[in-house]
Amino acid sequence: MSYAYLFKYIIIGDTGVGKSCLLLQFTDKRFQPVHDLTIGVEFGARLVSIETKPIKLQIWDTAGQEAFRSITRSYYRGAAGALLVYDITRRDTFNHLTTWLEDARQHSNSNMVIMLIGNKSDLEAKREVKKEEGEAFAREHGLVFMETSAKTSDNVEEAFINTAKEIYEKIQEGVFDINNEANGIKIGPQHSTGNSSIPGGNNRSNGNGCC
Amino acid sequence: MMPVLNTILDSVVDTIAPPTPAFENFIYHWEKFMVNYLEWTTDGQFSQTRIEETNVPGHLEIVQQILICEDQNEKIATNLCMEYVLKNDLFNMLAVIAEKEKLIGIRILVLKCMTNLISQLKNPVLAHQSFFVTIQRLINLCDSVLYNKQQQDQIHFLYMLCTLLNNQQNVSIMFFSNESNMCRLEEAKASTESSTFNRLNLLDCILTYINTKVCIIKDCTTNTDVYYKCCDCILLLTKFNDENVIDYISNETKLCSTLSEHFRNLFCALPTALDYNGLETIELNWRDDYNATYSNDVTKFFCWLNFIIEIIRDGQLKISYSLCESLRLLFFNKLFDTPEQISCSYVFLLKKIYRAADHTPLNYTINYWLRSELDNSYYDKQTPIDILIKLSSTTDDTFVFNILNFFIDVLHDSDKEVLDFIILQFINNRNYYERCTSGTWSDEEDEREKKLLSNGNNINTSRTLAPSSIDRIINRLLALIPQNLQSDQLHTFKDHITDVKNMYNDVLDKCTKFDWPSEALNSVKINDFDEGPFLRMIFKKISNIPNQNSSTTLQLKIILIFLSSLPHPYLHEYLLNSTLPLKRNVPSLYMILCQVLKELHKKILTFPNYNKELIQARKRILNSSSIKLLKEKNFEVIVFNNAVILEELCKELVAVLFVKYHHTNLANENI
């Protein structure tokens, strides 16, 4: 579990576009066809390797419903990367991207890497948004774009890892101030010995020790 | 339960790969906590052991401290132990253990542990499903109806939660939204014991402390602490600034009905006879006076009144309006359910409530209620104002005193609709005016009217103020008191000018926005005149002055001066212009005053030394309040008091005429 960096991600987009399924596919490598609506926030973590460096991705999955928008907003700050997801089989989820992007830009730090994701690429027959449209939108707004399928796991791994790579590059370029944790990046506890002030740290054999 | 927990424990053991002693320690103590708990509740049995006799609290304490310590040493990201807790739903496991309470005291132990966590963690991720669902389960375990022995710990948890939500208001939607409710319902369905679990929202849970605390808690300090925290929680929640939360609180919680019903219960519990002397000027504050030494029920009622007013004043507007509406339906509308209930104290309390509601939306609600027809079997289709006017014909002096006092407050409040309902609707058709007179001074006025119409702005004094007869009107009023019966030989109205001027400016401020007409003009329709029940009652009481106590006379004087000072042309000329030709049988204030004074003076002249008595009465009146005069039973004293009050009334009416007249002239000059 030791890591060089920790990157905080946030996944945003309309309700039902597959945000939680993407996270589940990435962290647990499984797909859940029927997923409950996310209430508030969920999170998942996974260790990945970028240029041989172990990097921990801590991913906050938010609720797409309007009612929880105020909670979502509070998670933009302190995120290094964002996955902005739409559903290629629902045109309205694509149409709402501008609102999401405005929200994200307004509440996040300016260096946040945003990856645009057209999810449910396995449902080609029901497609309402062309891949080219997604690409055009990404180009126009300076985002990285990818179509994924949380069901078949197609491009899921890449989406998360490519975002991490971008962030990592930005760190190398010195764009991110890694000492400012508000940027969503944390240096790992390298060979950390923990904190001896933690209560109970040394009392495993005393006091409560009957069990 | 056992297999599930064992699986969890297995996974706990499996995932032990501690990079730091803190995490290792955390896992160790969590594991020990679980094992210890399971040992005491072998095979899912309910243990008779108290939790203090086990090692369960010790391990949980360390688990809690590690989480807090980790949080304090890290800055932004959720930390390893906390990540583990959320990922593996450990909090939820604690909540399940608390719900089952197989070990005596574990419910409160878990509650205290979670209280510490939410109050000490820098950023508890309340919005996380695992955290939120746990907190929600614990809220259910704080329902004071079901769990009434540890109210202090329970309310403390709720209070800390409200404080936290107040600081993180964006998360409050989790606790007050239909969406999260749906999630809870689904979760309840999934749970095997869903049917026995009554899901409460945070506010409704807090509200359970309002009714139950009194009977259960014997210890006074504890009781007060629970009361304060309960009230503070409600105040915090009603101030949250999230539209969805506000809507949810107004529409989906029992806030308004519970507060209103509790108010009614406290009202009904009040003693039938109250000590008005002590209560007249008192204003209790729910925070400072709850433990005061007055009669308990009275204190509780007034503290609760003050608390409700604070919510209405400081809470979100939508919530305030809902609460006012609920008070109207559940409290005010029920006040006149049965005629036997309506007592002197009732009216006194109504007045106190009215005063407390001043400058809040509740003031509008009460004014609206006062002029709305009631829908009950006894007072069907009557309004509270009608009922109070009828009740004022009683011979009980104190009752009359309280009713008139209430009316004085209502009039001073100057609500446009209420003024219209009580008086103006009856006089603004000018039906009192005799149009077909010949050879009277009114020709002169009509002439002036013609001139006014033809010359536009040339005449700068309102015709309604009767510029050509103002001197005559003033002299008539002053002459009502013969020289030998004046208690003050100067007999001047000038002493009253400053007070009247101030009052008139206040009244003008309030009434300019009412868009009242500036001149009294004849309406097209000619109908019989009816002065309306209120003025009828006032006139009747003036006529009765020789036979009634002087506190009533003093109150009548206040009412008349106020009505005269209103900048309403019809009311002005009807009350003050004694030279205006009135239709036959239309009561005239001037004529009534003439008769009353005649009768009163006749009585006075029968007393020897009446001059000396008048001077003494004058001193008495200047130093007395209405309530003091109420207690006076000596007939002779009352007669002299009444005479002096009427003498002052005449002078004050003159001062009103004077101030109004000069005010218009001054205003016109400025133009």
Side-chain angles (χ1 to χ4, degrees):
Chain A
M1 291 288 272
S2 179
Y3 52 85
Y5 293 109
L6 181 144
F7 296 166
K8 255 180 91 179
Y9 280 16
I10 175 173
I11 315 183
I12 51 173
D14 275 9
T15 182
V17 297
K19 297 183 292 298
S20 302
C21 289
L22 279 170
L23 177 64
L24 195 68
Q25 182 59 259
F26 180 65
T27 55
D28 290 22
K29 299 204 185 302
R30 60 192 174 95
F31 177 71
Q32 212 174 336
V34 185
H35 199 283
D36 293 339
L37 281 177
T38 306
I39 306 295
V41 290
E42 296 272 10
F43 93 95
R46 214 187 102 179
L47 210 58
V48 295
S49 182
I50 309 284
E51 294 180 13
T52 70
K53 293 249 173 168
I55 297 200
K56 183 173 172 179
L57 302 182
Q58 188 187 69
I59 305 144
W60 291 88
D61 170 29
T62 64
Q65 283 169 289
E66 183 61 43
F68 298 108
R69 202 56 59 86
S70 62
I71 297 177
T72 303
R73 286 195 187 111
S74 65
Y75 280 85
Y76 284 118
R77 228 181 95 79
L83 270 62
L84 171 54
V85 188
Y86 69 92
D87 177 353
I88 64 154
T89 69
R90 273 164 58 209
R91 164 71 55 184
D92 56 322
T93 65
F94 181 76
N95 293 342
H96 294 153
L97 288 178
T98 326
T99 327
W100 281 109
L101 204 56
E102 276 170 13
D103 229 28
R105 299 251 199 250
Q106 195 186 335
H107 295 95
S108 65
N109 70 72
S110 55
N111 294 316
M112 184 169 82
V113 173
I114 304 176
M115 163 80 80
L116 178 66
I117 290 180
N119 192 31
K120 306 196 187 176
S121 64
D122 53 293
L123 300 175
E124 194 55 48
K126 292 186 185 168
R127 181 188 280 274
E128 284 184 12
V129 186
K130 283 186 213 149
K131 193 174 180 184
E132 294 74 31
E133 291 178 85
E135 283 167 346
F137 186 91
R139 232 183 353 262
E140 193 185 330
H141 294 93
L143 317 173
V144 189
F145 176 67
M146 209 167 253
E147 279 197 351
T148 61
S149 165
K151 189 176 178 182
T152 65
S153 84
D154 192 35
N155 266 348
V156 173
E157 195 83 358
E158 289 80 352
F160 284 90
I161 290 176
N162 288 358
T163 310
K165 278 182 184 160
E166 281 243 355
I167 298 168
Y168 188 74
E169 274 168 28
K170 282 195 172 186
I171 295 173
Q172 303 299 315
E173 290 162 12
V175 176
F176 272 122
D177 174 11
I178 50 169
N179 293 316
N180 179 3
E181 290 185 354
N183 283 330
I185 299 163
K186 222 162 95 167
I187 307 169
Q190 288 143 343
H191 311 296
S192 161
T193 50
N195 192 331
S196 60
S197 71
I198 295 224
N202 302 315
N203 67 353
R204 286 174 55 174
S205 54
N206 66 12
N208 309 307
C210 82
C211 40
Chain B
M1 200 58 211
M2 276 289 280
V4 179
L5 286 173
N6 278 336
T7 323
I8 294 158
L9 280 173
D10 286 344
S11 77
V12 168
V13 175
D14 287 343
T15 42
I16 294 179
T20 64
F23 183 65
E24 187 187 43
N25 227 1
F26 174 79
I27 298 290
Y28 172 82
H29 284 286
W30 173 260
E31 184 193 321
K32 283 293 174 198
F33 162 76
M34 287 303 286
V35 169
N36 211 244
Y37 168 73
L38 290 172
E39 274 170 6
W40 283 108
T41 56
T42 319
D43 301 326
Q45 293 297 309
F46 282 88
S47 168
Q48 293 305 309
T49 320
R50 297 198 59 81
I51 190 116
E52 299 83 19
E53 297 160 21
T54 72
N55 281 320
V56 170
H59 290 300
L60 189 62
E61 166 79 17
I62 296 170
V63 164
Q64 170 206 310
Q65 285 185 15
I66 292 174
L67 284 173
I68 292 171
C69 208
E70 183 189 63
D71 181 68
Q72 280 162 359
N73 291 325
E74 298 288 333
K75 276 188 183 163
I76 284 288
T78 306
N79 310 295
L80 208 53
C81 299
M82 185 55 90
E83 264 182 26
Y84 184 85
V85 168
L86 297 181
K87 194 81 195 156
N88 296 286
D89 233 0
L90 301 194
F91 286 154
N92 211 14
M93 243 182 274
L94 283 180
V96 172
I97 289 172
E99 274 169 15
K100 307 254 175 209
E101 201 166 19
K102 289 186 174 170
L103 205 55
I104 301 168
I106 198 154
R107 184 178 63 88
I108 291 298
L109 180 78
V110 170
L111 202 62
K112 281 181 173 171
C113 168
M114 291 308 287
T115 308
N116 289 336
L117 285 174
I118 60 171
S119 56
Q120 290 180 43
L121 290 180
K122 272 183 292 185
N123 183 25
V125 269
L126 273 191
H128 194 279
Q129 193 98 333
S130 172
F131 217 131
F132 158 69
V133 171
T134 305
I135 298 289
Q136 181 53 52
R137 295 186 103 126
L138 293 180
I139 290 173
N140 286 301
L141 295 182
C142 290
D143 179 345
S144 112
V145 179
L146 298 172
Y147 307 95
N148 52 34
K149 293 208 174 92
Q150 309 275 350
Q151 289 194 340
Q152 212 174 4
D153 293 323
Q154 293 164 193
I155 195 79
H156 184 60
F157 166 73
L158 296 171
Y159 176 71
M160 291 320 292
L161 181 59
C162 289
T163 316
L164 176 63
L165 287 178
N166 185 45
N167 297 331
Q168 296 186 6
Q169 289 199 17
N170 62 325
V171 184
S172 56
I173 189 76
M174 297 294 295
F175 294 89
F176 300 104
S177 73
N178 288 321
E179 285 83 355
S180 53
N181 243 4
M182 299 245 292
C183 146
R184 270 183 268 152
L185 281 175
E186 274 166 27
E187 184 222 332
K189 270 185 220 151
S191 153
T192 45
E193 284 130 291
S194 58
S195 55
T196 57
F197 222 67
N198 179 28
R199 307 243 141 209
L200 266 183
N201 70 61
L202 171 60
L203 182 53
D204 283 345
C205 179
I206 291 162
L207 292 172
T208 62
Y209 289 79
I210 289 174
N211 287 317
T212 54
K213 63 178 188 278
V214 183
C215 47
I216 288 146
I217 300 178
K218 302 271 190 308
D219 175 9
C220 193
T221 352
T222 317
N223 182 11
T224 312
D225 187 52
V226 171
Y227 160 83
Y228 284 145
K229 283 204 170 114
C230 168
C231 291
D232 275 328
C233 285
I234 297 171
L235 277 176
L236 281 175
L237 295 181
T238 51
K239 285 181 199 167
F240 282 4
N241 189 18
D242 178 317
E243 208 56 42
N244 294 316
V245 173
I246 295 168
D247 282 343
Y248 190 88
I249 288 180
S250 325
N251 305 326
E252 309 287 334
T253 69
K254 294 178 187 148
L255 173 79
C256 299
S257 58
T258 310
L259 298 189
S260 306
E261 274 160 10
H262 188 58
F263 188 54
R264 174 155 176 83
N265 292 342
L266 291 174
F267 183 85
C268 293
L270 287 172
T272 42
L274 291 167
D275 173 15
Y276 305 111
N277 271 338
L279 292 171
E280 177 65 29
T281 51
I282 212 158
E283 269 184 46
L284 294 189
N285 179 297
W286 69 271
R287 212 180 281 273
D288 303 331
D289 301 310
Y290 190 70
N291 279 329
T293 46
Y294 310 98
S295 146
N296 235 348
D297 290 335
V298 176
T299 316
K300 279 198 187 100
F301 173 78
F302 282 106
C303 281
W304 193 248
L305 170 64
N306 176 262
F307 174 66
I308 284 187
I309 296 292
E310 188 167 331
I311 294 181
I312 292 173
R313 198 185 52 224
D314 298 343
Q316 290 290 343
L317 212 55
K318 229 180 214 175
I319 296 175
S320 297
Y321 287 158
S322 301
L323 179 53
C324 289
E325 181 58 12
S326 151
L327 280 167
R328 188 177 72 84
L329 297 172
L330 300 173
F331 178 78
F332 291 106
N333 272 358
K334 293 188 175 187
L335 274 181
F336 290 130
D337 262 0
T338 52
E340 304 84 53
Q341 285 179 333
I342 307 164
S343 64
C344 201
S345 309
Y346 245 56
V347 183
F348 172 79
L349 290 166
L350 190 59
K351 188 194 75 177
K352 291 291 283 185
I353 297 168
Y354 193 77
R355 280 202 182 162
D358 201 17
H359 297 298
T360 72
L362 185 61
N363 173 260
Y364 174 83
T365 305
I366 304 178
N367 281 331
Y368 175 75
W369 167 75
L370 280 172
R371 58 187 168 85
S372 309
E373 289 174 356
L374 294 176
D375 181 25
N376 68 40
S377 51
Y378 192 83
Y379 288 117
D380 195 28
K381 303 277 173 236
Q382 293 188 56
T383 67
I385 286 179
D386 295 333
I387 299 168
L388 287 171
I389 291 173
K390 275 189 191 150
L391 289 171
S392 72
S393 61
T394 169
T395 49
D396 178 346
D397 283 349
T398 322
F399 203 177
V400 174
F401 174 81
N402 281 328
I403 293 176
L404 289 184
N405 244 355
F406 179 63
F407 273 121
I408 289 172
D409 277 5
V410 171
L411 289 173
H412 279 146
D413 187 59
S414 303
D415 177 85
K416 186 180 188 239
E417 273 76 27
V418 167
L419 286 177
D420 196 59
F421 183 83
I422 295 185
I423 302 166
L424 302 180
Q425 60 161 325
F426 298 102
I427 50 116
N428 62 11
N429 45 30
R430 220 188 186 204
N431 278 330
Y432 48 83
Y433 180 64
E434 179 56 85
R435 302 183 197 190
C436 317
T437 49
S438 52
T440 68
W441 68 274
S442 75
D443 290 345
E444 183 185 312
E445 285 296 302
D446 284 346
E447 205 56 44
R448 192 169 277 280
E449 186 178 11
K450 277 177 206 155
K451 268 192 202 167
L452 184 82
L453 291 171
S454 57
N455 292 343
N457 291 332
N458 282 355
I459 291 167
N460 60 8
T461 305
S462 157
R463 183 179 58 83
T464 308
L465 293 173
S468 59
S469 13
I470 183 85
D471 293 338
R472 208 158 125 201
I473 297 169
I474 287 178
N475 286 335
R476 275 183 167 201
L477 273 171
L478 290 174
L480 278 175
I481 317 291
Q483 207 171 0
N484 61 329
L485 291 171
Q486 291 166 2
S487 65
D488 175 18
Q489 290 311 307
L490 290 174
H491 197 55
T492 173
F493 62 90
K494 287 184 181 152
D495 301 341
H496 295 292
I497 286 178
T498 317
D499 286 347
V500 167
K501 210 171 174 176
N502 292 338
M503 179 181 70
Y504 184 59
N505 285 336
D506 288 349
V507 170
L508 265 186
D509 263 2
K510 282 185 182 168
C511 301
T512 26
K513 57 178 184 284
F514 294 167
D515 217 14
W516 281 341
S518 52
E519 291 287 355
L521 299 173
N522 288 329
S523 78
V524 186
K525 284 184 190 167
I526 302 175
N527 288 318
D528 288 339
F529 177 71
D530 171 21
E531 71 273 36
F534 183 75
L535 276 183
R536 201 161 26 248
M537 177 265 282
I538 296 294
F539 288 158
K540 201 174 163 194
K541 289 208 180 298
I542 300 173
S543 307
N544 199 33
I545 282 176
N547 312 310
Q548 72 200 7
N549 76 74
S550 26
S551 78
T552 308
T553 314
L554 201 58
Q555 288 176 310
L556 289 170
K557 183 183 106 167
I558 295 168
I559 291 172
L560 282 173
I561 296 299
F562 177 78
L563 292 180
S564 318
S565 65
L566 285 174
H568 191 278
Y570 298 93
L571 187 61
H572 175 92
E573 68 169 10
Y574 176 59
L575 288 181
L576 294 175
N577 189 348
S578 58
T579 60
L580 191 77
L582 296 178
K583 279 186 193 162
R584 195 214 281 254
N585 293 333
V586 170
S588 137
L589 173 63
Y590 175 74
M591 293 310 289
I592 297 171
L593 285 175
C594 278
Q595 281 160 13
V596 169
L597 282 161
K598 213 163 142 188
E599 199 179 328
L600 214 53
H601 291 156
K602 220 160 95 186
K603 278 187 185 171
I604 286 176
L605 290 170
T606 60
F607 294 102
N609 291 331
Y610 60 82
N611 272 321
K612 213 168 137 194
E613 289 293 338
L614 276 169
I615 291 165
Q616 269 178 359
R618 184 177 177 77
K619 278 184 196 155
R620 266 200 309 271
I621 296 298
L622 289 177
N623 298 321
S624 288
S625 60
S626 305
I627 192 122
K628 271 189 198 159
L629 296 174
L630 186 62
K631 289 175 189 151
E632 184 58 64
K633 297 290 171 217
N634 184 327
F635 172 73
E636 186 185 331
V637 172
I638 291 174
V639 168
F640 281 97
N641 283 350
N642 282 339
V644 174
I645 295 169
L646 283 182
E647 180 184 339
E648 290 308 301
L649 168 69
C650 294
K651 289 193 276 187
E652 265 183 72
L653 286 175
V654 170
V656 171
L657 275 162
F658 181 87
V659 167
K660 273 179 142 179
Y661 187 81
H662 283 280
H663 183 274
T664 350
N665 279 351
L666 212 66
N668 284 328
E669 274 168 31
N670 286 340
I671 291 165

